[in-house]
Structures are given as structure tokens and as C-alpha cells.
Amino acid sequence: MPILNRAAEMQDEIAEWRRQIHREPELLFAVEKTAAFVAEKLREFGVDEIVTGIGRTGVVGLIRGRGEGRTIGLRADMDALPIEETSGKAWASTVKGKMHACGHDGHTAMLLGAAKYLAETRNFSGNVAVIFQPAEEGGGGGNEMVKDGMMERFGIAEVYGMHNLPGMPVGSFGTRPGPIMAATDEFNIVVKGRGGHAALPHKTVDPIVIGAQVVSALQTIVSRVADPIASLVVSVTKFNAGFAHNVIPEQAQLAGTVRTLSPDMREEAEARIRQICAGLAAAHGAEITVAYHRNYPVTVNHAEETGHAVSVARAIAGEAAVEPSLAPMMGGEDFSYMLEARPGAFVFIGNGDTAGLHHPAYDFNDDIIPHGVTYWVKLAESRLAA
């Protein structure tokens, strides 16, 4: 099963859609122009049902096959990032401080290409729901669409996602059953001491010294609490305190992220952060408050659906170009909410030798469009075999 001839024929057209989206990036849920463009294309393709405003600004199109059957969902994300683009491409962002630095423009365009093909051919029984999601980059748009009743409204039985991966060769795919991307939690810590003159430290409770001990102690969660085989990241990424050379401030503020691949480790990490802060507060006579926010859950692929995704990818790319046991990644992905609601699988498609994701010089590789479109089409046709 090589690349579909039709997918190769449509590459330039799909690339132009992608570049149009790239020129006008939009953030989080404010993707009105992109969503309108998607809905317009779906109408042009003759998609049977098009619903906008799901999960605030999401779009779902339903394509009915030649016979009765179940419904599967194919999902792409639409939002960009608050980054100033430096790619120098002719289609670079025209919006200052915003760019498609994660390839969501390409994800949207590839799924539009698949929708066009599936609406033309309808070589399946049942229905394909093409899902265009806002606010993957920190807004939890996937969760909003699930909470808005998308799965029930369209009767979606399975759901699939795909993301480009720089450094993986063009024409390659990778995935794994079980956890594939991490839960992404955030914490904010405030150390309240007693300020004073820097020449009289004995009359103060120095929040900077205590905060530094908090930073060091948090590292022991990974090195001395977690099983060495387990995956855990605890990173302090902000430390703000003080305003003058000769003043010990009243407080220090710390913030960071926790990444885990299992619910048990997620619980343990939060508990240990709170215990460490409480202990250091008692030891120094300070007050330490912890605000812990649970963000995206672990992205967990379902075994059967992942196996089928691997089979489809191998049929397109060849066995050597598909990694079925890809190492989990500690980045987060809100497709996790959809996989909590329905069985399915999340795969990576190679973007070739490009700048990394979230880099200002990144650009989606249009050479991978036929591979991505073919994957979506063959996944839908095989899961809904007539």
C-alpha cells in the first residue's frame, strides 16, 4: 500500500492551504479565521454534516460512507504559539508575536486533504468524523470538545491523532501502546519570610536562602523518591525575589513543572512537593504555600487501536520505517482527554531534518503531506471496511 496517487496529486493544493493558515496564526480558542477556513473547505468537499462552535471554536465534519456502521474520529489541532517567527519563509507569519511553531497548520491541512478524498470516494461503511480542535497549546481544547458532548453527539467509537516530529525521517511513523506522552502539571510556591537589612541577616527569615533549599530539595524527588526505572521530571523554571542589593526581601516566588507517565507517580510527586515545603517552612520559621495545578493527563494509547495504526503505517511506509515501540516523550498533549473518553491511538509522523518544535525557525515540512493524508485515509477505510 504505497502513498495514494490522489494524495500526491493534491500535495500542492494542500500545501497552499497550509501556508495560508501559516500566514495568519491564531492562539488558543481565538481561532475564528482558521475555523471558518476549515468549515468553508468542508462545505466545498460536500461533507455531509458540519458543526462549528464545539468546545468553543472547534469544528467537526461528518462524512457518511456507503453503508451503515460505526463512527471513528480523526483529530487535528488548529492553534499557534506566541513566538516571533524567524523562518524567513515566503509564507511566514504576518502576525507579530505569533507563529505556527508546532505544525498545527500542517496537521489541519493534512486532515482537510483526507476529508476531501474521503468525501470523494466514500469507500467505507459507517462514518468518519474529522475533528479540528482549538487550544491544544495550553488551553485544553480537547477537553472542552469532550465536555461539550462531541463523542456522544457524533457517536464516535474510536478516535485517532497524529503529530509531526522533527528529526524523524520523512515517510516514517512512530508510536507505542500505553503511555506515549506525559501528564503536565504546574506548581507555584511562595516563600514568606521576614525581610530586613542585608547587613543584619540574623534579624530576618531569608526567603531567598529558604527558596534555594526548596529548589535543591525538590531534585531529590527524582533522584531519591522515584524508582530509577520510572519517568519523572521536576523542574523549577522561575525564581523571583528581591529588589535591592542591601535588602533581604519579605518573600520569594518559585514556579515549575512536573511531568509523569503514571497516575501513581503523579500523586507521589505532588505529595512530596508539599511535604518538602512544609518541612522547610517549619525548619526555618517561614511560611511556604504551594499551589499545584494538574494540567493535561498522560496520553495513553490503547493496545488494539495502536496495533491497527502500526499496521496501516507499515503498509504505507514499510516495516523498517515504522517504530512500534517509540520511547515515551515527556511533553504533553491534550489529545489525552479524547483517549480517556474513547479508545484510540496517537502517532508521530516524521517531519525530516527541520528546526525543532516550538523553535522560532520551525516550519512544517510540506513533503510529508502525502504520507499523512494516506495514513488518515487508509486508517479510516480499514477501520470501517465496507
Side-chain angles (χ1 to χ4, degrees):
M1 186 198 303
I3 290 172
L4 290 166
N5 289 335
R6 185 76 176 104
E9 291 167 1
M10 291 193 297
Q11 179 176 347
D12 290 346
E13 180 183 18
I14 296 170
E16 185 49 45
W17 300 341
R18 200 277 296 183
R19 294 172 185 183
Q20 181 173 337
I21 295 169
H22 191 96
R23 292 185 188 99
E24 297 185 277
E26 299 174 295
L27 304 184
L28 295 171
F29 291 98
V31 292
E32 288 85 1
K33 288 183 180 179
T34 307
F37 177 82
V38 166
E40 178 186 357
K41 289 299 176 186
L42 295 179
R43 283 191 287 270
E44 287 180 13
F45 304 157
V47 169
D48 299 287
E49 183 179 352
I50 303 162
V51 181
T52 61
I54 298 180
R56 302 197 216 177
T57 48
V59 181
V60 178
L62 193 69
I63 305 167
R64 298 189 177 95
R66 298 182 180 182
E68 295 298 319
R70 61 205 183 103
T71 301
I72 67 167
L74 312 179
R75 172 268 200 180
D77 35 20
M78 298 187 289
D79 58 320
L81 284 157
I83 298 173
E84 187 71 25
E85 182 166 358
T86 63
S87 71
K89 301 292 186 180
W91 51 87
S93 171
T94 60
V95 183
K96 186 173 178 57
K98 300 178 185 179
M99 72 168 288
H100 274 287
C102 204
H104 297 186
D105 52 340
H107 302 164
T108 296
M110 288 193 296
L111 187 54
L112 281 174
K116 181 175 183 177
Y117 182 97
L118 291 167
E120 288 174 352
T121 59
R122 301 181 188 264
N123 187 29
F124 56 91
S125 292
N127 308 296
V128 177
V130 286
I131 302 165
F132 297 87
Q133 180 210 301
E136 190 281 325
E137 297 290 358
N143 191 32
E144 291 300 313
M145 295 188 85
V146 170
K147 290 193 299 183
D148 212 2
M150 177 184 69
M151 300 299 183
E152 296 79 13
R153 179 170 184 172
F154 296 96
I156 296 171
E158 298 174 3
V159 65
Y160 296 87
M162 176 166 55
H163 202 293
N164 78 96
L165 186 61
M168 179 182 283
V170 171
S172 297
F173 294 85
T175 188
R176 62 177 287 111
I180 188 168
M181 296 194 77
T184 59
D185 297 344
E186 298 169 350
F187 59 84
N188 289 277
I189 297 170
V190 177
V191 181
K192 294 181 180 179
R194 185 171 64 251
H197 201 293
L200 303 170
H202 59 292
K203 293 186 177 182
T204 70
V205 177
D206 191 337
I208 294 177
V209 171
I210 300 167
Q213 291 184 26
V214 169
V215 174
S216 296
L218 292 184
Q219 307 313 304
T220 65
I221 300 173
V222 174
S223 65
R224 290 297 179 267
V225 174
D227 185 325
I229 304 302
S231 297
L232 173 64
V233 174
V234 180
S235 292
V236 177
T237 56
K238 297 180 184 179
F239 192 139
N240 298 313
F243 52 87
H245 287 85
N246 61 348
V247 178
I248 292 174
E250 286 282 322
Q251 68 178 33
Q253 298 176 338
L254 292 74
T257 186
V258 175
R259 305 297 175 100
T260 54
L261 289 174
S262 74
D264 289 347
M265 185 55 66
R266 195 180 198 186
E267 295 284 347
E268 181 73 12
E270 179 181 355
R272 291 290 180 152
I273 288 172
R274 294 187 183 280
Q275 289 169 5
I276 286 169
C277 289
L280 286 170
H284 292 282
E287 179 185 344
I288 302 179
T289 58
V290 178
Y292 196 95
H293 173 65
R294 296 201 172 195
N295 203 351
Y296 298 169
V298 181
T299 304
V300 181
N301 278 343
H302 298 251
E304 179 187 345
E305 290 74 18
T306 303
H308 189 83
V310 168
S311 296
V312 171
R314 281 175 170 164
I316 298 167
E319 188 164 351
V322 179
E323 175 51 70
S325 300
L326 191 71
M329 300 182 188
M330 300 309 285
E333 168 60 63
D334 79 341
F335 187 64
S336 54
Y337 293 108
M338 296 191 188
L339 288 176
E340 287 186 334
R342 293 293 186 273
F346 188 74
V347 306
F348 288 98
I349 181 171
N351 201 57
D353 185 17
T354 66
L357 300 175
H358 294 209
H359 190 281
Y362 169 87
D363 188 42
F364 181 87
N365 188 346
D366 290 331
D367 289 343
I368 78 172
I369 286 172
H371 304 273
V373 172
T374 300
Y375 171 79
W376 280 139
V377 168
K378 291 304 178 181
L379 178 69
E381 290 181 345
S382 58
R383 272 326 249 179
L384 302 173

